[in-house]
Amino acid sequence: MVIKMLDLVKKIKNAAYLVFIVLILQACTSDVILLSKLSENDANEVMGALLSQGIPAKKNSEKKDGYNIVIQEKAMSRAVAILKSAGLPNRTKVSLGDVFKKEGVISTPLEERARYIYALSQELEHTISQIDNVVLARVHVVLPERVAPGQPVQPSSAAVFIKHLPELDSDTIEHRVLAMVSRSIPGLSSKKDQKISVSFVETMPSIGAIEWVSVGPFIVQKTSEKQLVKVLVSLVLVSLISVIFAILMLLSKTRLWIVTKITFLQRIAV
């Protein structure tokens, strides 16, 4: 009977230790680089978006290569979803001066045209992105071009894509975007707006900010703090009870062994 009780105590202790070790291993996850080679401004924006959603993040400087954003591996999928919803990191803006920076002695007309179209799109994207509640803006420009000799010149046109937060009033903003684009692209200023396409896409609402707290070596959500404390206290109590029970059983077994020895010695003496 005593041997069976001791075996049961050992099994309870081993189960408690196993659960405790599993919890520790889950808490000790490795760090991974989420983004790299970011400018300081982009890194700060990414950090702000992640921290506001309760994801611990660190910004590491890599000297000439910019900044890296490091997070816990278990938060990777959620971090990617949050940044995608926020339109971060921002695409590197290229100014007209950067695009038309000459790297060779002579540029072909095709190169000049491609650079001009790209620079024009970049400038419009940057301007539209400054509108409140706009997450992402893309502009595709088509300038007048004669396809073949004798053929009519293809008119200018533009397509605008705007990803925005639910707070944006797309009906009001659309007229402003149409006016701005039509006055920024050659060949559209005197034409009707049917040559400009504006598409609005509402981004998914961000998950509410989550408050994180530390419980010993663990970092958990505020709502899970009490449950984790209960689990840890239960494990400690189970371990203590099992140890005390084992000690009592050992003492009882020792006492029984001593009594048996004394009785045996008394019988021999008689």
Side-chain angles (χ1 to χ4, degrees), residues 96-113:
L96 281 168
D98 294 331
V99 174
F100 283 99
K101 181 172 57 178
K102 288 186 176 295
E103 297 180 352
V105 179
I106 300 176
S107 297
T108 65
L110 180 61
E111 290 176 341
E112 293 290 347
R113 180 180 178 81

Side-chain angles (χ1 to χ4, degrees), residues 46-81:
V46 170
M47 285 279 292
L50 294 177
L51 293 175
S52 67
Q53 298 300 324
I55 296 182
K58 295 181 291 185
K59 180 179 70 173
N60 297 333
S61 176
E62 294 296 332
K63 297 182 180 179
K64 295 182 179 180
D65 294 332
Y67 293 85
N68 295 339
I69 302 298
V70 180
I71 63 171
Q72 293 182 347
E73 186 176 7
K74 63 181 180 181
M76 175 66 76
S77 59
R78 186 163 171 266
V80 171

